[in-house]
Amino acid sequence: MRAYPTRQILDLAGMWEFAFLGDVAKPPASEAVQFNEVMAVPGCFDATVRYAGKRGIGAYRKVIDLAAGGRYRLWIDGGHHVVRLFVAGVEQGRHEGGFTQFGFDFTVERGGPTDIVLYVDNRINYDECPIHLDYFDWHHFGGITRGCVLQELPDVRIENTRFVTTNHETREVAVSADVVLADADALFTVSIGGEEFHRQTVSASQTASGAAGRDASSAAGGTAIRVEATFTCPDLELWSPESPRLHELSVCIGEDCVTEQIGIRTVAVSGQDIVINGEAVRLFGFNRHESSADAGHTLSSSQLVTDLQLLEQMNVNFVRGSHYPQDERFIDLCDARGIMVWCEATGWQHTEDHLQDRRFLDAQRINIEEMIQALGNHPSIIMWGLLNESHGHVRGARAGFAELVGAIRDEDDSRPVTYATCHVYEDKCLDLFDIVSFNTYPGWYVGGVQEIPQELDAILAHLDGSGYAEKPVILSEIGAGGIYGFRDWHRGLWSEEYQAELIQAVLDYFSNVDRLAGLALWQFCDIRASEVTARALRRPKGFNNKGIVDEHRRPKLAFHIVRQFGKGFRS
Ligand code: ADA
């Protein structure tokens, strides 16, 4: 998580006044709302007893005593699915799309008690928010699901920092930042681990061709200039999964500084390998949804620690954040513990129509930009993903795929890009990606456990015979349902025994077939699935029960099989 040590920041976590406005087409003006309840931030209002499963607008209110007039930013780490901000009854912004961080900037003339109201709409409505659709195989909870703070914005400030290792051997790194200036020049500095590596004076009058400042443009309250610096830091240790060494990066303009933990490492593909700092790595782990038994998408810090401890108990080194950007606090833990992350923009089985719809593509581009701007400096994120199981097998979808892959590369060309296809034989978009990833469920949706090796052999042979022989391949989803506590001598479907038997067969295959650069089991924990009837009928209790632990993180038989395998796994 980025820190702003010189800014006045008010943490707005805690109890807010609340009112559920219901399934209204047009909500009342914020000052007309009767706030007669309380709701926790962060939290999912539709995970509380009174509003469990309800969809509509939740109105949140807090009166904040602002010290003075000026420019402020309300920063929200996650809001589902459409969030509107009103300050003193005046609308200041609207954001759509959950799981990504966003901010609303506003100014107030004078200090004093100021009425802040958020309308949070958890309904699933393509026209309002094309990112979230009701057929996705996870329950969409709503609320201010992650952190929320109020920042005082200085006139001279740092807006976006990017940190990239350009050469791990020489420790050459590139740091860029968008700085907002007032009318005077300002000193720009970059320090790592307390040592200053770069300084320069930046002037608001610099043009796009300026050596230091580029792309000068107007920004709220000043001139925004992109500043870039490249330097080497030969004495700093590298980050790697085995030795996840972090350093504090501090980027300052004038009095304003942004600090964050960074890791010096490169990641690339080399033939059939994924390489970190030039060394091939093999990935073994899970798909992980962010969903808890009783708080929806809002995971407490202790829940994050529990999840991390369970992943480490199973000796995994890899998490695919399915199917949306994970909480940055979890990514911080992966940075510190050397767990590699496939970080994915929000998406699930999108169709040709979606991928030809400008409204959908624009919403996806925002999701991608917000994901990468917030998480792009984390060393544990070693690849970007998007559009899970979307219709890459339909020719008309390809242009949309290509545009969104391009959007990722425009934001960050320092990491490989992948996507999990479930149409591996017919997919027409795999060439757009650096890593080929496929989801398949032999022994669950099709065939029996004994067919797993032949199914996987056939897919790998197809890929190697279709022009992908020189690309890494990840088996990005495979697994089976197992209902916690359902023990069955018949070893029938949904029993813990059947799930364990299938997972063992998958691990046996993975340990014997080096062609797979990675395996992500589906899935880490049980999660509440969509309430849509067609889906719910195929989900006992309305949950996706393919977790290795249940929604309360209680281990199933397969947990012990994964843990045993992980002990002998080399990364
Ligand atoms: C798909 C999908 C997952 C989940 C899984 C399942 O592969 O990508 O999100 O729905 O199937 O449990 O069937």
Side-chain angles (χ1 to χ4, degrees):
M1 301 289 280
R2 291 188 174 106
Y4 301 83
T6 57
R7 290 188 193 177
Q8 291 299 316
I9 295 181
L10 179 63
D11 187 345
L12 297 179
M15 293 302 167
W16 285 54
E17 294 175 83
F18 183 78
F20 185 59
L21 306 182
D23 186 11
V24 291
K26 185 169 172 34
S30 60
E31 57 268 32
V33 175
Q34 296 301 310
F35 290 94
N36 46 18
E37 297 183 77
V38 292
M39 195 55 66
V41 170
C44 297
F45 66 79
D46 57 5
T48 61
V49 169
R50 181 172 297 165
Y51 298 110
K54 289 192 170 44
R55 294 199 180 276
I57 295 178
Y60 294 71
R61 177 175 184 256
K62 197 174 265 289
V63 177
I64 299 172
D65 192 355
L66 298 180
R71 187 181 314 283
Y72 291 86
R73 173 170 295 157
L74 186 73
W75 190 261
I76 296 175
D77 294 333
H80 294 248
H81 300 108
V82 178
V83 179
R84 297 165 62 194
L85 169 66
F86 298 84
V87 177
V90 177
E91 185 158 7
Q92 296 290 345
R94 176 187 184 278
H95 179 271
E96 60 187 60
F99 303 112
T100 53
Q101 301 179 30
F102 60 96
F104 295 123
D105 289 4
F106 60 92
T107 53
V108 291
E109 292 307 313
R110 66 186 66 79
T114 306
D115 193 281
I116 304 284
V117 170
L118 292 167
Y119 281 178
V120 184
D121 190 341
N122 73 344
R123 288 172 291 190
I124 297 174
N125 178 323
Y126 185 81
D127 296 329
E128 282 294 308
C129 174
I131 290 281
H132 302 273
L133 302 176
D134 63 2
Y135 61 76
F136 289 6
D137 191 9
W138 74 83
H139 189 88
H140 284 78
F141 292 96
I144 301 296
T145 56
R146 296 174 181 166
C148 178
V149 300
L150 183 67
Q151 291 187 10
E152 274 188 60
L153 283 187
D155 293 340
V156 177
R157 61 184 180 271
I158 298 273
E159 284 296 16
N160 295 304
T161 55
R162 281 305 323 277
F163 174 87
V164 177
T165 304
T166 46
N167 184 318
H168 61 269
E169 287 170 339
T170 62
R171 311 289 196 276
E172 183 188 72
V173 300
V175 177
S176 68
D178 295 330
V179 302
V180 177
L181 298 175
D183 44 17
D185 294 355
L187 180 63
F188 175 82
T189 61
V190 180
S191 302
I192 300 179
E195 180 182 352
E196 186 181 287
F197 284 93
H198 178 87
R199 67 168 39 210
Q200 69 187 78
T201 298
V202 184
S203 164
S205 61
Q206 271 169 268
T207 61
S209 61
R214 294 174 54 239
D215 307 331
S217 62
S218 65
T223 306
I225 292 180
R226 168 63 56 90
V227 186
E228 295 170 336
T230 299
F231 50 86
T232 59
C233 26
D235 301 330
L236 295 181
E237 284 179 65
L238 294 175
W239 186 95
S240 71
E242 296 76 22
S243 175
R245 183 75 170 81
L246 297 171
H247 309 283
E248 183 179 84
L249 169 71
S250 177
V251 183
C252 301
I253 186 80
E255 299 302 310
D256 190 45
C257 291
V258 180
T259 62
E260 56 195 304
Q261 294 294 308
I262 51 94
I264 299 173
R265 63 104 184 91
T266 57
V267 56
V269 294
S270 171
Q272 297 182 352
D273 292 328
I274 298 167
V275 292
I276 292 183
N277 302 330
E279 300 286 323
V281 292
R282 201 158 189 248
L283 310 176
F284 164 60
F286 285 101
N287 288 271
R288 176 178 176 271
H289 264 292
E290 292 203 328
S291 187
S292 72
D294 49 18
H297 293 317
T298 299
L299 302 188
S300 64
S301 298
S302 59
Q303 178 74 77
L304 295 178
V305 170
T306 294
D307 286 2
L308 177 79
Q309 288 176 354
L310 288 167
L311 291 166
E312 293 187 328
Q313 274 193 24
M314 289 188 278
N315 303 295
V316 303
N317 69 358
F318 177 54
V319 169
R320 175 186 178 209
S322 54
H323 295 287
Y324 39 75
Q326 307 272 290
D327 190 317
E328 190 172 10
R329 297 171 302 149
F330 180 71
I331 306 291
D332 281 344
L333 294 174
C334 293
D335 287 347
R337 308 294 293 182
I339 292 178
M340 294 170 279
V341 177
W342 161 337
C343 190
E344 181 158 304
T346 307
W348 202 87
Q349 295 188 3
H350 292 288
T351 66
E352 175 188 24
D353 288 347
H354 296 147
L355 284 152
Q356 292 181 346
D357 176 2
R358 190 70 259 151
R359 171 90 173 80
F360 171 78
L361 293 169
D362 288 346
Q364 277 285 325
R365 294 179 73 102
I366 290 170
N367 193 259
I368 286 166
E369 287 158 17
E370 290 177 343
M371 171 178 74
I372 296 176
Q373 284 173 11
L375 303 176
N377 296 341
H378 286 273
S380 60
I381 296 177
I382 62 165
M383 66 184 86
W384 300 114
L386 76 170
L387 295 174
N388 173 64
E389 297 197 338
S390 292
H391 290 190
H393 60 296
V394 178
R395 192 166 302 285
R398 181 180 169 85
F401 267 83
E403 176 182 337
L404 295 179
V405 172
I408 287 182
R409 298 193 197 282
D410 289 346
E411 281 295 323
D412 175 28
D413 61 3
S414 74
R415 292 177 173 89
V417 183
T418 190
Y419 121 91
T421 182
C422 62
H423 310 278
V424 66
Y425 289 104
E426 304 84 11
D427 208 297
K428 298 172 172 58
C429 296
L430 298 181
D431 62 301
L432 298 171
F433 297 93
D434 304 298
I435 298 169
V436 174
S437 300
F438 66 94
N439 300 344
T440 185
Y441 285 85
W444 185 253
Y445 291 119
V446 61
V449 170
Q450 67 283 356
E451 274 120 345
I452 288 172
Q454 68 193 48
E455 165 75 8
L456 297 178
D457 282 343
I459 291 173
L460 292 177
H462 164 74
L463 290 173
D464 286 350
S466 310
Y468 305 110
E470 287 312 305
K471 285 194 175 182
V473 175
I474 292 177
L475 173 44
S476 39
E477 286 184 34
I478 190 166
I483 294 174
Y484 177 81
F486 173 39
R487 307 299 297 277
D488 180 23
W489 287 111
H490 293 257
R491 308 175 74 81
L493 294 185
W494 299 113
S495 67
E496 288 191 35
E497 286 84 357
Y498 186 82
Q499 182 189 42
E501 181 185 349
L502 184 140
I503 293 296
Q504 184 65 69
V506 171
L507 296 177
D508 291 344
Y509 185 88
F510 183 56
S511 57
N512 296 321
V513 176
D514 285 343
R515 179 63 176 96
L516 286 174
L519 164 65
L521 296 171
W522 185 271
Q523 64 175 327
F524 169 67
C525 64
D526 291 352
I527 59 161
R528 184 176 291 275
S530 163
E531 69 268 36
V532 167
T533 304
R535 170 79 55 201
L537 285 175
R538 304 200 302 270
R539 295 280 181 268
K541 303 187 321 182
F543 274 61
N544 184 312
N545 301 287
K546 300 186 184 72
I548 297 301
V549 298
D550 75 350
E551 64 272 27
H552 302 285
R553 277 54 177 180
R554 298 176 298 187
K556 303 173 188 175
L557 282 177
F559 175 91
H560 308 288
I561 287 174
V562 174
R563 183 176 183 177
Q564 189 56 37
F565 172 82
K567 282 179 185 167
F569 177 71
R570 60 160 182 85
S571 73

